[in-house]
Amino acid sequence: MNLQAEKIKIQRKKVGLTIKELAKKIGYTDAYISQIENGKVVPSIKVLKKIVDTLDLSFRDILISNSQQEKFFFKKSEYLEIRRQNNSIEEKFLCSNFSFKKMQPTYKIIKPNTECIINLKPKDEKFGYILKGMIELDLDNKIIILNEHDSFYITYHNYITIKNTNTINAELICVDLPPNI
């Protein structure tokens, strides 16, 4: 039995459905559901979507192994590093497989005289802690100066601008909910 099939079977039992009841809810035969649960057939994305919705799961729950989902420690060699705006902003993503996480922690270095525009969508949240330096945060045309050891927590706004107007690099730890990359 494959991992996907096993997870479907376990969750079906957990929510108290029989194979026949699940089949009826999603519009397929109980024989087909049995074949899926026994790893004899691989369902289409359409069928899998119906199953995960009915069993209150996500595609991530079904498709990702527990070892990928439950990793708790990360070595710096696993960090994804990207540079933006002609190397004026450096970001290190502080965990691997962040696309399977509920939050995205990053370490950012913003060079002097650099501006970073952030577009938050509804339900997005962003936390930041200034490790070193100073930043100007423009939130709805209100400028807030944040220094070393200050922090911010922002929920949905169309645009936020973070500027480093100082002469030294600004270093921040940020956490985005949900991950945005």
Short mmCIF file of all heavy atoms in Angstrom, two decimals, residues 133-162:
data_model
loop_
_atom_site.label_atom_id
_atom_site.label_comp_id
_atom_site.label_asym_id
_atom_site.label_seq_id
_atom_site.Cartn_x
_atom_site.Cartn_y
_atom_site.Cartn_z
N GLY A 133 20.65 47.60 13.18
CA GLY A 133 20.34 48.74 12.32
C GLY A 133 19.00 49.38 12.64
O GLY A 133 18.47 49.25 13.74
N MET A 134 18.47 50.06 11.64
CA MET A 134 17.23 50.80 11.79
C MET A 134 16.47 50.73 10.47
O MET A 134 17.09 50.71 9.40
CB MET A 134 17.56 52.26 12.12
CG MET A 134 16.36 53.16 12.22
SD MET A 134 16.86 54.90 12.24
CE MET A 134 17.05 55.20 10.51
N ILE A 135 15.15 50.69 10.54
CA ILE A 135 14.33 50.74 9.32
C ILE A 135 13.23 51.77 9.50
O ILE A 135 12.84 52.12 10.62
CB ILE A 135 13.69 49.36 8.98
CG1 ILE A 135 12.75 48.90 10.08
CG2 ILE A 135 14.74 48.34 8.65
CD1 ILE A 135 11.85 47.74 9.67
N GLU A 136 12.76 52.26 8.36
CA GLU A 136 11.55 53.08 8.32
C GLU A 136 10.45 52.21 7.74
O GLU A 136 10.62 51.62 6.67
CB GLU A 136 11.73 54.30 7.42
CG GLU A 136 12.56 55.39 7.99
CD GLU A 136 12.61 56.60 7.08
OE1 GLU A 136 11.85 56.68 6.09
OE2 GLU A 136 13.44 57.48 7.36
N LEU A 137 9.37 52.12 8.44
CA LEU A 137 8.22 51.33 7.99
C LEU A 137 7.13 52.32 7.58
O LEU A 137 6.70 53.15 8.38
CB LEU A 137 7.75 50.45 9.15
CG LEU A 137 6.75 49.37 8.86
CD1 LEU A 137 7.34 48.29 7.97
CD2 LEU A 137 6.30 48.74 10.18
N ASP A 138 6.73 52.27 6.31
CA ASP A 138 5.66 53.13 5.81
C ASP A 138 4.40 52.28 5.72
O ASP A 138 4.30 51.39 4.88
CB ASP A 138 6.04 53.69 4.44
CG ASP A 138 5.00 54.65 3.88
OD1 ASP A 138 3.85 54.66 4.36
OD2 ASP A 138 5.34 55.38 2.93
N LEU A 139 3.47 52.59 6.58
CA LEU A 139 2.22 51.84 6.66
C LEU A 139 1.08 52.82 6.51
O LEU A 139 0.84 53.66 7.38
CB LEU A 139 2.16 51.12 8.02
CG LEU A 139 1.02 50.20 8.29
CD1 LEU A 139 1.04 49.01 7.34
CD2 LEU A 139 1.10 49.69 9.72
N ASP A 140 0.40 52.76 5.37
CA ASP A 140 -0.70 53.69 5.09
C ASP A 140 -0.25 55.14 5.21
O ASP A 140 -0.91 55.97 5.84
CB ASP A 140 -1.89 53.42 6.00
CG ASP A 140 -2.49 52.04 5.80
OD1 ASP A 140 -2.40 51.52 4.67
OD2 ASP A 140 -3.03 51.49 6.77
N ASN A 141 0.91 55.45 4.65
CA ASN A 141 1.49 56.80 4.66
C ASN A 141 1.84 57.31 6.05
O ASN A 141 1.96 58.51 6.26
CB ASN A 141 0.57 57.80 3.94
CG ASN A 141 0.46 57.47 2.47
OD1 ASN A 141 1.45 57.15 1.83
ND2 ASN A 141 -0.75 57.52 1.94
N LYS A 142 1.98 56.42 6.99
CA LYS A 142 2.46 56.78 8.32
C LYS A 142 3.84 56.15 8.47
O LYS A 142 3.99 54.93 8.34
CB LYS A 142 1.50 56.25 9.39
CG LYS A 142 1.93 56.61 10.79
CD LYS A 142 0.92 56.12 11.81
CE LYS A 142 1.43 56.47 13.20
NZ LYS A 142 0.58 55.93 14.24
N ILE A 143 4.84 56.98 8.75
CA ILE A 143 6.22 56.50 8.86
C ILE A 143 6.51 56.16 10.32
O ILE A 143 6.28 56.97 11.22
CB ILE A 143 7.22 57.58 8.39
CG1 ILE A 143 6.91 58.02 6.96
CG2 ILE A 143 8.66 57.08 8.54
CD1 ILE A 143 7.12 56.98 5.91
N ILE A 144 6.98 54.96 10.53
CA ILE A 144 7.35 54.50 11.86
C ILE A 144 8.82 54.12 11.80
O ILE A 144 9.24 53.35 10.93
CB ILE A 144 6.50 53.29 12.31
CG1 ILE A 144 5.02 53.70 12.40
CG2 ILE A 144 6.95 52.73 13.64
CD1 ILE A 144 4.13 52.87 11.58
N ILE A 145 9.61 54.64 12.73
CA ILE A 145 11.04 54.32 12.81
C ILE A 145 11.20 53.18 13.80
O ILE A 145 10.74 53.26 14.94
CB ILE A 145 11.88 55.53 13.29
CG1 ILE A 145 11.63 56.76 12.42
CG2 ILE A 145 13.36 55.16 13.37
CD1 ILE A 145 12.14 56.65 11.01
N LEU A 146 11.84 52.11 13.36
CA LEU A 146 12.10 50.97 14.24
C LEU A 146 13.61 50.76 14.33
O LEU A 146 14.30 50.71 13.31
CB LEU A 146 11.42 49.71 13.71
CG LEU A 146 9.89 49.77 13.69
CD1 LEU A 146 9.32 48.55 12.98
CD2 LEU A 146 9.33 49.85 15.10
N ASN A 147 14.09 50.63 15.56
CA ASN A 147 15.51 50.46 15.82
C ASN A 147 15.80 49.02 16.25
O ASN A 147 14.89 48.21 16.42
CB ASN A 147 15.95 51.43 16.92
CG ASN A 147 15.85 52.86 16.45
OD1 ASN A 147 16.54 53.26 15.51
ND2 ASN A 147 14.98 53.64 17.07
N GLU A 148 17.08 48.78 16.47
CA GLU A 148 17.53 47.48 16.95
C GLU A 148 16.67 47.02 18.13
O GLU A 148 16.39 47.80 19.05
CB GLU A 148 18.98 47.64 17.40
CG GLU A 148 19.81 46.41 17.27
CD GLU A 148 21.29 46.73 17.44
OE1 GLU A 148 21.87 47.35 16.50
OE2 GLU A 148 21.83 46.37 18.49
N HIS A 149 16.22 45.77 18.07
CA HIS A 149 15.40 45.10 19.09
C HIS A 149 13.93 45.54 19.10
O HIS A 149 13.18 45.09 19.94
CB HIS A 149 16.01 45.22 20.49
CG HIS A 149 17.42 44.75 20.56
ND1 HIS A 149 17.78 43.44 20.33
CD2 HIS A 149 18.58 45.42 20.77
CE1 HIS A 149 19.10 43.32 20.42
NE2 HIS A 149 19.60 44.51 20.68
N ASP A 150 13.52 46.42 18.18
CA ASP A 150 12.09 46.72 18.02
C ASP A 150 11.49 45.66 17.11
O ASP A 150 12.21 44.93 16.41
CB ASP A 150 11.90 48.10 17.37
CG ASP A 150 12.27 49.26 18.29
OD1 ASP A 150 12.31 49.05 19.52
OD2 ASP A 150 12.51 50.36 17.76
N SER A 151 10.18 45.58 17.10
CA SER A 151 9.51 44.59 16.24
C SER A 151 8.22 45.18 15.68
O SER A 151 7.74 46.22 16.13
CB SER A 151 9.23 43.31 17.02
OG SER A 151 8.37 43.56 18.11
N PHE A 152 7.67 44.49 14.69
CA PHE A 152 6.38 44.87 14.13
C PHE A 152 5.56 43.62 13.84
O PHE A 152 6.10 42.53 13.64
CB PHE A 152 6.54 45.72 12.86
CG PHE A 152 7.29 45.05 11.74
CD1 PHE A 152 6.62 44.27 10.80
CD2 PHE A 152 8.66 45.21 11.59
CE1 PHE A 152 7.30 43.66 9.76
CE2 PHE A 152 9.35 44.62 10.55
CZ PHE A 152 8.67 43.83 9.63
N TYR A 153 4.27 43.81 13.86
CA TYR A 153 3.32 42.74 13.53
C TYR A 153 2.22 43.40 12.71
O TYR A 153 1.53 44.30 13.20
CB TYR A 153 2.74 42.11 14.79
CG TYR A 153 1.71 41.05 14.50
CD1 TYR A 153 2.11 39.75 14.23
CD2 TYR A 153 0.37 41.36 14.45
CE1 TYR A 153 1.17 38.77 13.93
CE2 TYR A 153 -0.58 40.39 14.16
CZ TYR A 153 -0.17 39.10 13.90
OH TYR A 153 -1.10 38.14 13.60
N ILE A 154 2.09 42.97 11.47
CA ILE A 154 1.17 43.62 10.55
C ILE A 154 0.24 42.59 9.93
O ILE A 154 0.68 41.54 9.49
CB ILE A 154 1.96 44.35 9.43
CG1 ILE A 154 2.90 45.39 10.04
CG2 ILE A 154 1.01 44.99 8.44
CD1 ILE A 154 3.91 45.93 9.08
N THR A 155 -1.04 42.93 9.91
CA THR A 155 -2.00 42.11 9.17
C THR A 155 -2.29 42.84 7.87
O THR A 155 -1.66 43.83 7.55
CB THR A 155 -3.28 41.89 10.00
OG1 THR A 155 -3.82 43.15 10.37
CG2 THR A 155 -3.00 41.07 11.24
N TYR A 156 -3.26 42.38 7.15
CA TYR A 156 -3.52 42.84 5.79
C TYR A 156 -3.49 44.36 5.62
O TYR A 156 -4.17 45.10 6.31
CB TYR A 156 -4.87 42.30 5.31
CG TYR A 156 -5.30 42.88 4.00
CD1 TYR A 156 -4.59 42.58 2.84
CD2 TYR A 156 -6.38 43.74 3.91
CE1 TYR A 156 -4.96 43.11 1.62
CE2 TYR A 156 -6.77 44.27 2.69
CZ TYR A 156 -6.05 43.96 1.55
OH TYR A 156 -6.41 44.49 0.36
N HIS A 157 -2.65 44.79 4.69
CA HIS A 157 -2.61 46.15 4.15
C HIS A 157 -2.19 45.96 2.70
O HIS A 157 -1.47 45.03 2.38
CB HIS A 157 -1.58 47.02 4.85
CG HIS A 157 -1.99 47.46 6.22
ND1 HIS A 157 -3.07 48.25 6.45
CD2 HIS A 157 -1.47 47.19 7.43
CE1 HIS A 157 -3.21 48.46 7.75
NE2 HIS A 157 -2.25 47.82 8.36
N ASN A 158 -2.63 46.86 1.84
CA ASN A 158 -2.27 46.70 0.44
C ASN A 158 -0.77 46.69 0.24
O ASN A 158 -0.22 45.77 -0.34
CB ASN A 158 -2.90 47.80 -0.41
CG ASN A 158 -4.37 47.57 -0.63
OD1 ASN A 158 -4.83 46.43 -0.61
ND2 ASN A 158 -5.13 48.64 -0.80
N TYR A 159 -0.09 47.72 0.71
CA TYR A 159 1.35 47.80 0.53
C TYR A 159 2.01 48.31 1.80
O TYR A 159 1.50 49.20 2.47
CB TYR A 159 1.71 48.74 -0.63
CG TYR A 159 1.29 48.21 -1.96
CD1 TYR A 159 0.10 48.61 -2.54
CD2 TYR A 159 2.07 47.28 -2.64
CE1 TYR A 159 -0.31 48.10 -3.76
CE2 TYR A 159 1.69 46.76 -3.85
CZ TYR A 159 0.49 47.18 -4.41
OH TYR A 159 0.09 46.67 -5.60
N ILE A 160 3.16 47.76 2.08
CA ILE A 160 3.99 48.20 3.19
C ILE A 160 5.36 48.46 2.57
O ILE A 160 5.84 47.66 1.77
CB ILE A 160 4.12 47.10 4.25
CG1 ILE A 160 2.76 46.72 4.79
CG2 ILE A 160 5.06 47.52 5.37
CD1 ILE A 160 2.75 45.35 5.42
N THR A 161 5.97 49.54 2.96
CA THR A 161 7.31 49.83 2.47
C THR A 161 8.27 49.79 3.65
O THR A 161 8.02 50.43 4.68
CB THR A 161 7.37 51.22 1.79
OG1 THR A 161 6.40 51.25 0.75
CG2 THR A 161 8.74 51.48 1.20
N ILE A 162 9.34 49.04 3.49
CA ILE A 162 10.40 48.99 4.48
C ILE A 162 11.62 49.64 3.84
O ILE A 162 12.05 49.23 2.76
CB ILE A 162 10.73 47.54 4.90
CG1 ILE A 162 9.52 46.89 5.57
CG2 ILE A 162 11.94 47.52 5.83
CD1 ILE A 162 9.70 45.42 5.90
#
